[in-house]
Amino acid sequence: QMAEAVGAKFQKMELGKVRGNGIKVGEGISKSTTNGNKAAVREGSGILVNRDGVRVVNENGTNDSVTKALMAQSDGILFVVMDQATHDLFHAANVKAHVVSDENMENWIANNGTTYPIYVKNDTLEGAAQAAGIDPEALVKTVEQYNQYVAQGVDPDFGRDTMNASIGEGPYYIVEQRARFASTLGGVVTTTQMQIVNQQDEIIPGLYGAGEIVGGAHGDDALPGCNLGWAYTTGMIAARTACQEIQ
């Protein structure tokens, strides 16, 4: 806003980074459960299914591949299915990331799928599936098949390489997964020395940009490591440029 007030030039403002692993907590608002999902599929036996109760992706694949699989669904929704041990990992990771509290989780479960976020618990897979709006019989078959893959040590469907445990006895948890807006990708236009320019591509004296305020650096997506590297490097260049101009 400060840069805009002095006539800064912007680019790529129409672009935003979209990720899966989101739980809807309000109209147009999702919280990220990425940490919980990673714990569920890398350390536990969590699987992702669609509303038909079938797996559609390697749950331990890249964020991008999971997001694309979610967006490919007719309703844009997937569900993470967990037994008790895996849900313990899922919830602990979300709490550690300051995304979900014990009170949140208990309240959501008490709603039993009647409102968002869809976060259900039931002693049987069929009961959990019904509350979440998933095909119960198909989900049971999917879990049985996945457990066979765990026993065989290979996932012929999607090549998942983290099958540490089979899905055990109930209670079972099912948590709806939606796409979420993760960050903007647009921002101010700068020179290579991180000097912000105006609409005529002229340098605005004394105004510098660094990190994600600079638009277009990542194209139409961004990875965490890229964001950090860009922030460190451009921060150094901006500071160096400012020091040189002060001298």
Side-chain angles (χ1 to χ4, degrees):
Q1 289 176 335
M2 180 182 73
E4 186 176 23
V6 294
K9 184 177 182 178
F10 290 79
Q11 64 179 349
K12 309 296 184 185
M13 294 298 286
E14 73 280 9
L15 296 180
K17 180 168 69 173
V18 176
R19 284 286 179 264
N21 307 136
I23 53 174
K24 180 180 178 180
V25 295
E27 287 302 331
I29 303 174
S30 288
K31 285 190 175 188
S32 168
T33 59
T34 297
N35 289 33
N37 282 59
K38 288 181 179 178
V41 305
R42 293 180 181 179
E43 303 170 44
S45 59
I47 59 172
L48 283 170
V49 303
N50 62 13
R51 197 169 293 281
D52 294 328
V54 298
R55 294 174 67 217
V56 295
V57 69
N58 175 358
E59 293 89 349
N60 193 37
T62 63
N63 282 338
D64 185 58
S65 65
V66 172
T67 300
K68 286 179 178 176
L70 182 148
M71 299 292 281
Q73 304 307 306
S74 59
D75 57 1
I77 294 174
L78 289 177
F79 301 84
V80 55
V81 180
M82 299 166 282
D83 58 18
Q84 183 67 59
T86 295
H87 179 263
D88 289 345
L89 296 169
F90 175 82
H91 181 60
N94 287 331
V95 169
K96 186 176 181 180
H98 305 290
V99 175
V100 175
S101 68
D102 290 339
E103 184 179 7
N104 288 153
M105 184 261 292
E106 291 166 2
N107 288 339
W108 296 340
I109 287 175
N111 291 331
N112 196 36
T114 58
T115 185
Y116 54 76
I118 305 303
Y119 197 124
V120 303
K121 174 185 179 181
N122 196 280
D123 289 335
T124 68
L125 269 175
E126 294 92 337
Q130 287 173 349
I134 301 173
D135 184 319
E137 293 183 5
L139 181 60
V140 170
K141 292 179 180 178
T142 295
V143 168
E144 290 174 349
Q145 185 179 61
Y146 178 76
N147 285 346
Q148 289 176 3
Y149 292 165
V150 173
Q152 296 166 5
V154 62
D155 174 14
D157 292 337
F158 302 103
R160 175 169 165 174
D161 57 356
T162 53
M163 297 189 293
N164 301 309
S166 59
I167 299 172
E169 298 298 320
Y172 300 97
Y173 297 78
I174 297 178
V175 181
E176 184 183 78
Q177 300 283 283
R178 293 175 178 254
R180 58 186 173 83
F181 179 81
S183 66
T184 57
L185 292 166
V188 297
V189 178
T190 72
T191 68
T192 56
Q193 298 307 305
M194 311 317 298
Q195 300 153 304
I196 296 177
V197 302
N198 63 19
Q199 299 294 330
Q200 292 73 44
D201 292 321
E202 300 166 337
I203 293 169
I204 299 174
L207 188 59
Y208 311 93
E212 291 186 67
I213 193 175
V214 181
H218 306 295
D220 63 358
D221 200 358
L223 301 174
C226 297
N227 296 343
L228 293 171
W230 175 252
Y232 298 149
T233 305
T234 55
M236 179 192 71
I237 294 172
R240 185 170 61 193
T241 302
C243 288
Q244 291 170 347
E245 293 190 357
I246 290 171
Q247 291 172 355

